[in-house]
């Protein structure tokens, strides 16, 4: 090995360059963001991610391994891998973004977000269930709500890796607390209707029975 390096040095031949981003070549690519509730005036970090193989989780990629960023949308500006949302951006407007991930041998990842008003009430976060009363549904372990209007719920037996028991879309009125949960079909069709309100620091769902039809079902969640 020493002799080979000496020979290369003598001939001024450089060893082949190894692309450090090649380790992030995978089956698929996407772009996430944080914070999860992107409001007017916020600066949002864009997170390039990849899936290495079937059954593997989505994994973040170093910023230097994402390039050729593109954005589509009004009221936003891209600055060094961050998305700056204008204070006058229109709430509800969708912003799409993409980047080349994993170097030349990688692929293009895509993502999008909807702009939330600076003072707009939203239902978003990951919650653990602390109490469940008068429900036909077996005890739920966890629920999540996204600012994009998606929800998931997970039973204890499914609490491993990234598996969820069920998912769908939702509509929530922050002023009245009215909550409608539906599937993924378009246009939206409510399957369950109840309320979601903050009570003493906990999120309380009433009338929402995901595995049954109990109008008196009450689920108390902590987190967010």
């Amino acid at each position: 090995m020493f002799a080979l390096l000496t020979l290369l040095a003598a001939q001024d031949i450089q060893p082949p360059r190894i692309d450090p981003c090649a380790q992030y070549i995978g089956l698929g690519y996407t772009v996430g963001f944080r914070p999860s509730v992107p409001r007017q005036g916020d600066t949002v970090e864009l997170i390039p991610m990849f899936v290495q193989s079937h059954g593997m989780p989505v994994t973040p990629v170093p910023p230097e391994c994402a390039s050729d960023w593109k954005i589509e949308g009004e009221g936003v500006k891209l600055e060094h891998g961050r998305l700056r949302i204008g204070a006058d951006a229109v709430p509800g407007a969708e912003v799409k973004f993409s980047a080349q991930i994993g170097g030349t041998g990688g692929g293009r990842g895509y993502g999008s977000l909807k702009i939330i008003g600076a003072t707009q009430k939203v239902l978003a976060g990951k919650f653990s269930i602390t109490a469940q009363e008068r429900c036909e549904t077996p005890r739920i372990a966890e629920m999540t709500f996204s600012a994009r209007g998606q929800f998931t719920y997970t039973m204890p037996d499914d609490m491993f890796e990234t598996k969820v028991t069920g998912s769908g879309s939702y509509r929530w009125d922050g002023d009245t607390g009215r909550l409608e949960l539906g599937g993924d079909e378009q246009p939206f069709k409510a399957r369950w209707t109840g309320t979601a309100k903050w009570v003493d620091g906990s999120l309380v769902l009433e009338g929402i029975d995901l595995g049954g039809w109990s109008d008196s079902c009450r689920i108390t969640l902590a987190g967010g």
Side-chain angles (χ1 to χ4, degrees):
M1 176 61 73
F2 179 76
L4 176 60
L5 293 175
T6 301
L7 178 61
L8 291 174
Q11 298 182 10
D12 196 26
I13 298 176
Q14 298 297 320
R17 179 180 177 275
I18 299 176
D19 183 359
C21 295
Q23 62 182 304
Y24 302 109
I25 296 175
L27 291 179
Y29 307 87
T30 187
V31 180
F33 61 90
R34 59 173 171 247
S36 60
V37 180
R39 297 184 180 275
Q40 294 168 309
D42 280 354
T43 297
V44 178
E45 180 184 2
L46 300 180
I47 308 170
M49 296 182 286
F50 85 120
V51 177
Q52 188 171 31
S53 59
H54 289 293
M56 298 291 287
V58 178
T59 304
V61 170
E64 58 269 23
C65 292
S67 60
D68 190 29
W69 285 95
K70 298 182 185 300
I71 60 170
E72 297 178 29
E74 300 293 332
V76 296
K77 182 184 296 185
L78 183 65
E79 297 179 352
H80 308 295
R82 294 176 181 269
L83 197 66
R84 189 177 298 278
I85 303 175
D88 57 351
V90 178
E94 184 174 28
V95 179
K96 298 179 180 180
F97 35 82
S98 67
Q100 178 68 24
I101 300 173
T104 55
R108 196 151 196 91
Y110 298 85
S112 65
L113 59 80
K114 287 188 177 181
I115 298 172
I116 308 298
T119 60
Q120 181 180 342
K121 296 178 181 178
V122 295
L123 182 62
K126 179 183 289 188
F127 302 86
S128 58
I129 281 57
T130 58
Q132 189 168 315
E133 310 164 69
R134 303 183 299 277
C135 305
E136 297 176 10
T137 307
R139 181 66 179 263
I140 299 171
E142 183 178 271
M143 291 190 73
T144 66
F145 294 91
S146 79
R148 290 183 56 82
Q150 302 295 314
F151 79 94
T152 68
Y153 67 95
T154 307
M155 299 297 190
D157 290 346
D158 293 332
M159 289 291 292
F160 62 92
E161 295 184 354
T162 58
K163 187 174 181 180
V164 298
T165 305
S167 63
S169 55
Y170 77 89
R171 290 178 177 176
W172 182 64
D173 186 323
D175 294 323
T176 66
R178 179 182 173 86
L179 176 65
E180 296 177 312
L181 301 183
D184 293 317
E185 65 270 12
Q186 293 294 331
F188 176 84
K189 182 179 180 181
R191 297 181 182 177
W192 301 274
T193 300
T195 60
K197 297 182 179 181
W198 293 97
V199 179
D200 297 329
S202 296
L203 181 64
V204 178
L205 309 186
E206 295 196 80
I208 301 290
D209 193 1
L210 294 168
W213 302 101
S214 172
D215 292 336
S216 60
C217 179
R218 178 185 172 97
I219 303 174
T220 304
L221 307 93

PDB file of all heavy atoms in Angstrom, residues 17-49:
ATOM      1  N   ARG A  17     -11.894  10.060  -6.102  1.00  0.00           N
ATOM      2  CA  ARG A  17     -12.624  10.750  -5.042  1.00  0.00           C
ATOM      3  C   ARG A  17     -13.894   9.976  -4.694  1.00  0.00           C
ATOM      4  O   ARG A  17     -14.658   9.586  -5.575  1.00  0.00           O
ATOM      5  CB  ARG A  17     -12.991  12.164  -5.483  1.00  0.00           C
ATOM      6  CG  ARG A  17     -13.773  12.956  -4.444  1.00  0.00           C
ATOM      7  CD  ARG A  17     -14.102  14.338  -4.957  1.00  0.00           C
ATOM      8  NE  ARG A  17     -14.901  15.091  -3.999  1.00  0.00           N
ATOM      9  CZ  ARG A  17     -16.224  15.004  -3.911  1.00  0.00           C
ATOM     10  NH1 ARG A  17     -16.885  14.192  -4.724  1.00  0.00           N
ATOM     11  NH2 ARG A  17     -16.885  15.714  -3.015  1.00  0.00           N
ATOM     12  N   ILE A  18     -14.092   9.742  -3.424  1.00  0.00           N
ATOM     13  CA  ILE A  18     -15.288   9.048  -2.952  1.00  0.00           C
ATOM     14  C   ILE A  18     -16.320  10.089  -2.532  1.00  0.00           C
ATOM     15  O   ILE A  18     -16.042  10.950  -1.693  1.00  0.00           O
ATOM     16  CB  ILE A  18     -14.957   8.115  -1.772  1.00  0.00           C
ATOM     17  CG1 ILE A  18     -13.955   7.048  -2.215  1.00  0.00           C
ATOM     18  CG2 ILE A  18     -16.231   7.466  -1.230  1.00  0.00           C
ATOM     19  CD1 ILE A  18     -13.495   6.138  -1.091  1.00  0.00           C
ATOM     20  N   ASP A  19     -17.483  10.028  -3.128  1.00  0.00           N
ATOM     21  CA  ASP A  19     -18.546  10.981  -2.813  1.00  0.00           C
ATOM     22  C   ASP A  19     -19.139  10.631  -1.450  1.00  0.00           C
ATOM     23  O   ASP A  19     -19.744   9.566  -1.286  1.00  0.00           O
ATOM     24  CB  ASP A  19     -19.636  10.914  -3.887  1.00  0.00           C
ATOM     25  CG  ASP A  19     -20.745  11.936  -3.651  1.00  0.00           C
ATOM     26  OD1 ASP A  19     -20.670  12.669  -2.647  1.00  0.00           O
ATOM     27  OD2 ASP A  19     -21.683  11.985  -4.467  1.00  0.00           O
ATOM     28  N   PRO A  20     -18.973  11.488  -0.438  1.00  0.00           N
ATOM     29  CA  PRO A  20     -19.503  11.167   0.896  1.00  0.00           C
ATOM     30  C   PRO A  20     -21.026  11.084   0.928  1.00  0.00           C
ATOM     31  O   PRO A  20     -21.598  10.510   1.851  1.00  0.00           O
ATOM     32  CB  PRO A  20     -18.987  12.322   1.761  1.00  0.00           C
ATOM     33  CG  PRO A  20     -18.772  13.448   0.802  1.00  0.00           C
ATOM     34  CD  PRO A  20     -18.327  12.812  -0.473  1.00  0.00           C
ATOM     35  N   CYS A  21     -21.682  11.643  -0.092  1.00  0.00           N
ATOM     36  CA  CYS A  21     -23.147  11.613  -0.119  1.00  0.00           C
ATOM     37  C   CYS A  21     -23.692  10.330  -0.733  1.00  0.00           C
ATOM     38  O   CYS A  21     -24.904  10.092  -0.704  1.00  0.00           O
ATOM     39  CB  CYS A  21     -23.685  12.821  -0.884  1.00  0.00           C
ATOM     40  SG  CYS A  21     -23.323  14.405  -0.079  1.00  0.00           S
ATOM     41  N   ALA A  22     -22.798   9.497  -1.290  1.00  0.00           N
ATOM     42  CA  ALA A  22     -23.252   8.265  -1.928  1.00  0.00           C
ATOM     43  C   ALA A  22     -23.895   7.310  -0.926  1.00  0.00           C
ATOM     44  O   ALA A  22     -24.709   6.463  -1.300  1.00  0.00           O
ATOM     45  CB  ALA A  22     -22.081   7.581  -2.631  1.00  0.00           C
ATOM     46  N   GLN A  23     -23.549   7.441   0.354  1.00  0.00           N
ATOM     47  CA  GLN A  23     -24.128   6.550   1.366  1.00  0.00           C
ATOM     48  C   GLN A  23     -25.614   6.830   1.587  1.00  0.00           C
ATOM     49  O   GLN A  23     -26.300   6.060   2.258  1.00  0.00           O
ATOM     50  CB  GLN A  23     -23.382   6.698   2.681  1.00  0.00           C
ATOM     51  CG  GLN A  23     -23.447   8.094   3.287  1.00  0.00           C
ATOM     52  CD  GLN A  23     -22.662   8.205   4.572  1.00  0.00           C
ATOM     53  OE1 GLN A  23     -22.880   7.457   5.527  1.00  0.00           O
ATOM     54  NE2 GLN A  23     -21.713   9.145   4.602  1.00  0.00           N
ATOM     55  N   TYR A  24     -26.106   7.932   1.023  1.00  0.00           N
ATOM     56  CA  TYR A  24     -27.517   8.278   1.190  1.00  0.00           C
ATOM     57  C   TYR A  24     -28.332   7.975  -0.066  1.00  0.00           C
ATOM     58  O   TYR A  24     -29.432   8.488  -0.234  1.00  0.00           O
ATOM     59  CB  TYR A  24     -27.652   9.748   1.573  1.00  0.00           C
ATOM     60  CG  TYR A  24     -26.900  10.074   2.841  1.00  0.00           C
ATOM     61  CD1 TYR A  24     -25.741  10.841   2.811  1.00  0.00           C
ATOM     62  CD2 TYR A  24     -27.327   9.566   4.070  1.00  0.00           C
ATOM     63  CE1 TYR A  24     -25.033  11.111   3.972  1.00  0.00           C
ATOM     64  CE2 TYR A  24     -26.623   9.831   5.228  1.00  0.00           C
ATOM     65  CZ  TYR A  24     -25.481  10.604   5.170  1.00  0.00           C
ATOM     66  OH  TYR A  24     -24.773  10.866   6.326  1.00  0.00           O
ATOM     67  N   ILE A  25     -27.787   7.144  -0.939  1.00  0.00           N
ATOM     68  CA  ILE A  25     -28.558   6.672  -2.087  1.00  0.00           C
ATOM     69  C   ILE A  25     -29.497   5.577  -1.593  1.00  0.00           C
ATOM     70  O   ILE A  25     -29.074   4.640  -0.915  1.00  0.00           O
ATOM     71  CB  ILE A  25     -27.627   6.137  -3.189  1.00  0.00           C
ATOM     72  CG1 ILE A  25     -26.751   7.272  -3.734  1.00  0.00           C
ATOM     73  CG2 ILE A  25     -28.430   5.489  -4.307  1.00  0.00           C
ATOM     74  CD1 ILE A  25     -25.713   6.817  -4.738  1.00  0.00           C
ATOM     75  N   GLY A  26     -30.780   5.701  -1.899  1.00  0.00           N
ATOM     76  CA  GLY A  26     -31.747   4.742  -1.369  1.00  0.00           C
ATOM     77  C   GLY A  26     -32.885   4.473  -2.329  1.00  0.00           C
ATOM     78  O   GLY A  26     -32.820   4.779  -3.526  1.00  0.00           O
ATOM     79  N   LEU A  27     -33.969   3.922  -1.774  1.00  0.00           N
ATOM     80  CA  LEU A  27     -35.136   3.568  -2.582  1.00  0.00           C
ATOM     81  C   LEU A  27     -36.057   4.755  -2.832  1.00  0.00           C
ATOM     82  O   LEU A  27     -36.778   4.789  -3.824  1.00  0.00           O
ATOM     83  CB  LEU A  27     -35.937   2.463  -1.884  1.00  0.00           C
ATOM     84  CG  LEU A  27     -35.299   1.083  -1.812  1.00  0.00           C
ATOM     85  CD1 LEU A  27     -36.218   0.136  -1.064  1.00  0.00           C
ATOM     86  CD2 LEU A  27     -35.037   0.553  -3.217  1.00  0.00           C
ATOM     87  N   GLY A  28     -36.049   5.707  -1.912  1.00  0.00           N
ATOM     88  CA  GLY A  28     -36.957   6.835  -2.051  1.00  0.00           C
ATOM     89  C   GLY A  28     -36.462   8.039  -1.281  1.00  0.00           C
ATOM     90  O   GLY A  28     -35.613   7.925  -0.384  1.00  0.00           O
ATOM     91  N   TYR A  29     -37.010   9.211  -1.624  1.00  0.00           N
ATOM     92  CA  TYR A  29     -36.546  10.459  -1.045  1.00  0.00           C
ATOM     93  C   TYR A  29     -37.741  11.368  -0.759  1.00  0.00           C
ATOM     94  O   TYR A  29     -38.755  11.335  -1.464  1.00  0.00           O
ATOM     95  CB  TYR A  29     -35.581  11.167  -1.999  1.00  0.00           C
ATOM     96  CG  TYR A  29     -34.446  10.283  -2.460  1.00  0.00           C
ATOM     97  CD1 TYR A  29     -34.597   9.465  -3.583  1.00  0.00           C
ATOM     98  CD2 TYR A  29     -33.248  10.232  -1.760  1.00  0.00           C
ATOM     99  CE1 TYR A  29     -33.572   8.627  -3.996  1.00  0.00           C
ATOM    100  CE2 TYR A  29     -32.218   9.398  -2.166  1.00  0.00           C
ATOM    101  CZ  TYR A  29     -32.387   8.593  -3.282  1.00  0.00           C
ATOM    102  OH  TYR A  29     -31.373   7.761  -3.677  1.00  0.00           O
ATOM    103  N   THR A  30     -37.616  12.178   0.267  1.00  0.00           N
ATOM    104  CA  THR A  30     -38.662  13.131   0.603  1.00  0.00           C
ATOM    105  C   THR A  30     -38.028  14.317   1.315  1.00  0.00           C
ATOM    106  O   THR A  30     -36.841  14.280   1.673  1.00  0.00           O
ATOM    107  CB  THR A  30     -39.745  12.478   1.495  1.00  0.00           C
ATOM    108  OG1 THR A  30     -40.841  13.380   1.668  1.00  0.00           O
ATOM    109  CG2 THR A  30     -39.181  12.117   2.865  1.00  0.00           C
ATOM    110  N   VAL A  31     -38.804  15.362   1.524  1.00  0.00           N
ATOM    111  CA  VAL A  31     -38.321  16.534   2.250  1.00  0.00           C
ATOM    112  C   VAL A  31     -39.348  16.877   3.327  1.00  0.00           C
ATOM    113  O   VAL A  31     -40.520  17.119   3.024  1.00  0.00           O
ATOM    114  CB  VAL A  31     -38.122  17.754   1.325  1.00  0.00           C
ATOM    115  CG1 VAL A  31     -37.620  18.948   2.138  1.00  0.00           C
ATOM    116  CG2 VAL A  31     -37.139  17.427   0.208  1.00  0.00           C
ATOM    117  N   GLY A  32     -38.916  16.856   4.574  1.00  0.00           N
ATOM    118  CA  GLY A  32     -39.775  17.246   5.677  1.00  0.00           C
ATOM    119  C   GLY A  32     -39.488  18.679   6.095  1.00  0.00           C
ATOM    120  O   GLY A  32     -38.706  19.392   5.452  1.00  0.00           O
ATOM    121  N   PHE A  33     -40.102  19.094   7.188  1.00  0.00           N
ATOM    122  CA  PHE A  33     -39.878  20.462   7.659  1.00  0.00           C
ATOM    123  C   PHE A  33     -40.189  20.559   9.142  1.00  0.00           C
ATOM    124  O   PHE A  33     -40.910  19.732   9.707  1.00  0.00           O
ATOM    125  CB  PHE A  33     -40.742  21.459   6.868  1.00  0.00           C
ATOM    126  CG  PHE A  33     -42.228  21.231   6.997  1.00  0.00           C
ATOM    127  CD1 PHE A  33     -42.969  21.837   8.008  1.00  0.00           C
ATOM    128  CD2 PHE A  33     -42.890  20.401   6.109  1.00  0.00           C
ATOM    129  CE1 PHE A  33     -44.334  21.622   8.136  1.00  0.00           C
ATOM    130  CE2 PHE A  33     -44.262  20.177   6.222  1.00  0.00           C
ATOM    131  CZ  PHE A  33     -44.980  20.789   7.235  1.00  0.00           C
ATOM    132  N   ARG A  34     -39.634  21.567   9.779  1.00  0.00           N
ATOM    133  CA  ARG A  34     -39.981  21.912  11.150  1.00  0.00           C
ATOM    134  C   ARG A  34     -39.790  23.412  11.352  1.00  0.00           C
ATOM    135  O   ARG A  34     -38.914  23.996  10.710  1.00  0.00           O
ATOM    136  CB  ARG A  34     -39.155  21.106  12.164  1.00  0.00           C
ATOM    137  CG  ARG A  34     -37.664  21.241  12.090  1.00  0.00           C
ATOM    138  CD  ARG A  34     -37.007  20.508  13.266  1.00  0.00           C
ATOM    139  NE  ARG A  34     -35.566  20.455  13.075  1.00  0.00           N
ATOM    140  CZ  ARG A  34     -34.878  19.342  12.848  1.00  0.00           C
ATOM    141  NH1 ARG A  34     -35.473  18.186  12.808  1.00  0.00           N
ATOM    142  NH2 ARG A  34     -33.571  19.380  12.669  1.00  0.00           N
ATOM    143  N   PRO A  35     -40.632  24.021  12.192  1.00  0.00           N
ATOM    144  CA  PRO A  35     -41.636  23.416  13.069  1.00  0.00           C
ATOM    145  C   PRO A  35     -42.800  22.810  12.286  1.00  0.00           C
ATOM    146  O   PRO A  35     -42.993  23.117  11.112  1.00  0.00           O
ATOM    147  CB  PRO A  35     -42.103  24.593  13.931  1.00  0.00           C
ATOM    148  CG  PRO A  35     -41.890  25.785  13.056  1.00  0.00           C
ATOM    149  CD  PRO A  35     -40.638  25.503  12.294  1.00  0.00           C
ATOM    150  N   SER A  36     -43.565  21.956  12.977  1.00  0.00           N
ATOM    151  CA  SER A  36     -44.653  21.247  12.308  1.00  0.00           C
ATOM    152  C   SER A  36     -45.831  22.155  11.991  1.00  0.00           C
ATOM    153  O   SER A  36     -46.688  21.789  11.190  1.00  0.00           O
ATOM    154  CB  SER A  36     -45.122  20.074  13.181  1.00  0.00           C
ATOM    155  OG  SER A  36     -45.597  20.532  14.438  1.00  0.00           O
ATOM    156  N   VAL A  37     -45.886  23.325  12.646  1.00  0.00           N
ATOM    157  CA  VAL A  37     -46.944  24.305  12.365  1.00  0.00           C
ATOM    158  C   VAL A  37     -46.273  25.544  11.772  1.00  0.00           C
ATOM    159  O   VAL A  37     -45.798  26.419  12.498  1.00  0.00           O
ATOM    160  CB  VAL A  37     -47.728  24.667  13.643  1.00  0.00           C
ATOM    161  CG1 VAL A  37     -48.820  25.682  13.328  1.00  0.00           C
ATOM    162  CG2 VAL A  37     -48.332  23.416  14.272  1.00  0.00           C
ATOM    163  N   PRO A  38     -46.182  25.628  10.445  1.00  0.00           N
ATOM    164  CA  PRO A  38     -45.473  26.741   9.795  1.00  0.00           C
ATOM    165  C   PRO A  38     -46.363  27.978   9.667  1.00  0.00           C
ATOM    166  O   PRO A  38     -47.265  28.031   8.841  1.00  0.00           O
ATOM    167  CB  PRO A  38     -45.124  26.159   8.419  1.00  0.00           C
ATOM    168  CG  PRO A  38     -46.208  25.152   8.154  1.00  0.00           C
ATOM    169  CD  PRO A  38     -46.634  24.615   9.481  1.00  0.00           C
ATOM    170  N   ARG A  39     -46.087  28.983  10.484  1.00  0.00           N
ATOM    171  CA  ARG A  39     -46.937  30.170  10.544  1.00  0.00           C
ATOM    172  C   ARG A  39     -46.363  31.340   9.741  1.00  0.00           C
ATOM    173  O   ARG A  39     -45.176  31.348   9.400  1.00  0.00           O
ATOM    174  CB  ARG A  39     -47.131  30.600  11.999  1.00  0.00           C
ATOM    175  CG  ARG A  39     -47.860  29.579  12.868  1.00  0.00           C
ATOM    176  CD  ARG A  39     -48.098  30.121  14.270  1.00  0.00           C
ATOM    177  NE  ARG A  39     -48.782  29.161  15.124  1.00  0.00           N
ATOM    178  CZ  ARG A  39     -50.099  29.008  15.170  1.00  0.00           C
ATOM    179  NH1 ARG A  39     -50.876  29.762  14.406  1.00  0.00           N
ATOM    180  NH2 ARG A  39     -50.653  28.116  15.978  1.00  0.00           N
ATOM    181  N   GLN A  40     -47.220  32.314   9.484  1.00  0.00           N
ATOM    182  CA  GLN A  40     -46.772  33.561   8.865  1.00  0.00           C
ATOM    183  C   GLN A  40     -45.611  34.139   9.676  1.00  0.00           C
ATOM    184  O   GLN A  40     -45.667  34.187  10.903  1.00  0.00           O
ATOM    185  CB  GLN A  40     -47.915  34.580   8.837  1.00  0.00           C
ATOM    186  CG  GLN A  40     -49.087  34.223   7.952  1.00  0.00           C
ATOM    187  CD  GLN A  40     -50.268  35.140   8.224  1.00  0.00           C
ATOM    188  OE1 GLN A  40     -50.682  35.317   9.366  1.00  0.00           O
ATOM    189  NE2 GLN A  40     -50.825  35.724   7.170  1.00  0.00           N
ATOM    190  N   GLY A  41     -44.555  34.557   8.984  1.00  0.00           N
ATOM    191  CA  GLY A  41     -43.407  35.156   9.651  1.00  0.00           C
ATOM    192  C   GLY A  41     -42.372  34.168  10.137  1.00  0.00           C
ATOM    193  O   GLY A  41     -41.300  34.578  10.597  1.00  0.00           O
ATOM    194  N   ASP A  42     -42.648  32.861  10.051  1.00  0.00           N
ATOM    195  CA  ASP A  42     -41.707  31.848  10.533  1.00  0.00           C
ATOM    196  C   ASP A  42     -40.588  31.596   9.521  1.00  0.00           C
ATOM    197  O   ASP A  42     -40.747  31.807   8.312  1.00  0.00           O
ATOM    198  CB  ASP A  42     -42.419  30.516  10.782  1.00  0.00           C
ATOM    199  CG  ASP A  42     -43.163  30.485  12.105  1.00  0.00           C
ATOM    200  OD1 ASP A  42     -43.039  31.455  12.872  1.00  0.00           O
ATOM    201  OD2 ASP A  42     -43.875  29.493  12.360  1.00  0.00           O
ATOM    202  N   THR A  43     -39.464  31.098  10.039  1.00  0.00           N
ATOM    203  CA  THR A  43     -38.415  30.530   9.204  1.00  0.00           C
ATOM    204  C   THR A  43     -38.445  29.023   9.414  1.00  0.00           C
ATOM    205  O   THR A  43     -38.276  28.546  10.535  1.00  0.00           O
ATOM    206  CB  THR A  43     -37.033  31.091   9.568  1.00  0.00           C
ATOM    207  OG1 THR A  43     -37.022  32.501   9.327  1.00  0.00           O
ATOM    208  CG2 THR A  43     -35.942  30.438   8.728  1.00  0.00           C
ATOM    209  N   VAL A  44     -38.681  28.286   8.351  1.00  0.00           N
ATOM    210  CA  VAL A  44     -38.902  26.844   8.424  1.00  0.00           C
ATOM    211  C   VAL A  44     -37.667  26.106   7.919  1.00  0.00           C
ATOM    212  O   VAL A  44     -37.155  26.392   6.830  1.00  0.00           O
ATOM    213  CB  VAL A  44     -40.131  26.450   7.582  1.00  0.00           C
ATOM    214  CG1 VAL A  44     -40.338  24.940   7.605  1.00  0.00           C
ATOM    215  CG2 VAL A  44     -41.377  27.170   8.099  1.00  0.00           C
ATOM    216  N   GLU A  45     -37.186  25.154   8.712  1.00  0.00           N
ATOM    217  CA  GLU A  45     -36.054  24.329   8.296  1.00  0.00           C
ATOM    218  C   GLU A  45     -36.552  23.202   7.397  1.00  0.00           C
ATOM    219  O   GLU A  45     -37.468  22.466   7.767  1.00  0.00           O
ATOM    220  CB  GLU A  45     -35.353  23.739   9.516  1.00  0.00           C
ATOM    221  CG  GLU A  45     -34.170  22.861   9.167  1.00  0.00           C
ATOM    222  CD  GLU A  45     -33.536  22.215  10.377  1.00  0.00           C
ATOM    223  OE1 GLU A  45     -34.044  22.426  11.498  1.00  0.00           O
ATOM    224  OE2 GLU A  45     -32.535  21.487  10.203  1.00  0.00           O
ATOM    225  N   LEU A  46     -35.964  23.072   6.224  1.00  0.00           N
ATOM    226  CA  LEU A  46     -36.302  21.989   5.310  1.00  0.00           C
ATOM    227  C   LEU A  46     -35.350  20.820   5.561  1.00  0.00           C
ATOM    228  O   LEU A  46     -34.133  21.011   5.651  1.00  0.00           O
ATOM    229  CB  LEU A  46     -36.202  22.457   3.858  1.00  0.00           C
ATOM    230  CG  LEU A  46     -37.126  23.628   3.486  1.00  0.00           C
ATOM    231  CD1 LEU A  46     -36.938  24.007   2.025  1.00  0.00           C
ATOM    232  CD2 LEU A  46     -38.583  23.276   3.761  1.00  0.00           C
ATOM    233  N   ILE A  47     -35.895  19.615   5.686  1.00  0.00           N
ATOM    234  CA  ILE A  47     -35.113  18.451   6.101  1.00  0.00           C
ATOM    235  C   ILE A  47     -35.118  17.400   4.999  1.00  0.00           C
ATOM    236  O   ILE A  47     -36.123  16.703   4.796  1.00  0.00           O
ATOM    237  CB  ILE A  47     -35.686  17.850   7.399  1.00  0.00           C
ATOM    238  CG1 ILE A  47     -35.830  18.933   8.468  1.00  0.00           C
ATOM    239  CG2 ILE A  47     -34.798  16.717   7.899  1.00  0.00           C
ATOM    240  CD1 ILE A  47     -36.602  18.487   9.687  1.00  0.00           C
ATOM    241  N   PRO A  48     -34.011  17.248   4.253  1.00  0.00           N
ATOM    242  CA  PRO A  48     -33.938  16.184   3.247  1.00  0.00           C
ATOM    243  C   PRO A  48     -33.851  14.822   3.928  1.00  0.00           C
ATOM    244  O   PRO A  48     -33.151  14.660   4.928  1.00  0.00           O
ATOM    245  CB  PRO A  48     -32.655  16.514   2.475  1.00  0.00           C
ATOM    246  CG  PRO A  48     -31.821  17.296   3.443  1.00  0.00           C
ATOM    247  CD  PRO A  48     -32.784  18.056   4.308  1.00  0.00           C
ATOM    248  N   MET A  49     -34.563  13.823   3.384  1.00  0.00           N
ATOM    249  CA  MET A  49     -34.593  12.495   3.994  1.00  0.00           C
ATOM    250  C   MET A  49     -34.608  11.421   2.915  1.00  0.00           C
ATOM    251  O   MET A  49     -34.972  11.683   1.768  1.00  0.00           O
ATOM    252  CB  MET A  49     -35.824  12.360   4.898  1.00  0.00           C
ATOM    253  CG  MET A  49     -35.823  13.315   6.083  1.00  0.00           C
ATOM    254  SD  MET A  49     -37.251  13.101   7.177  1.00  0.00           S
ATOM    255  CE  MET A  49     -38.541  13.837   6.186  1.00  0.00           C
TER     256      MET A  49
END
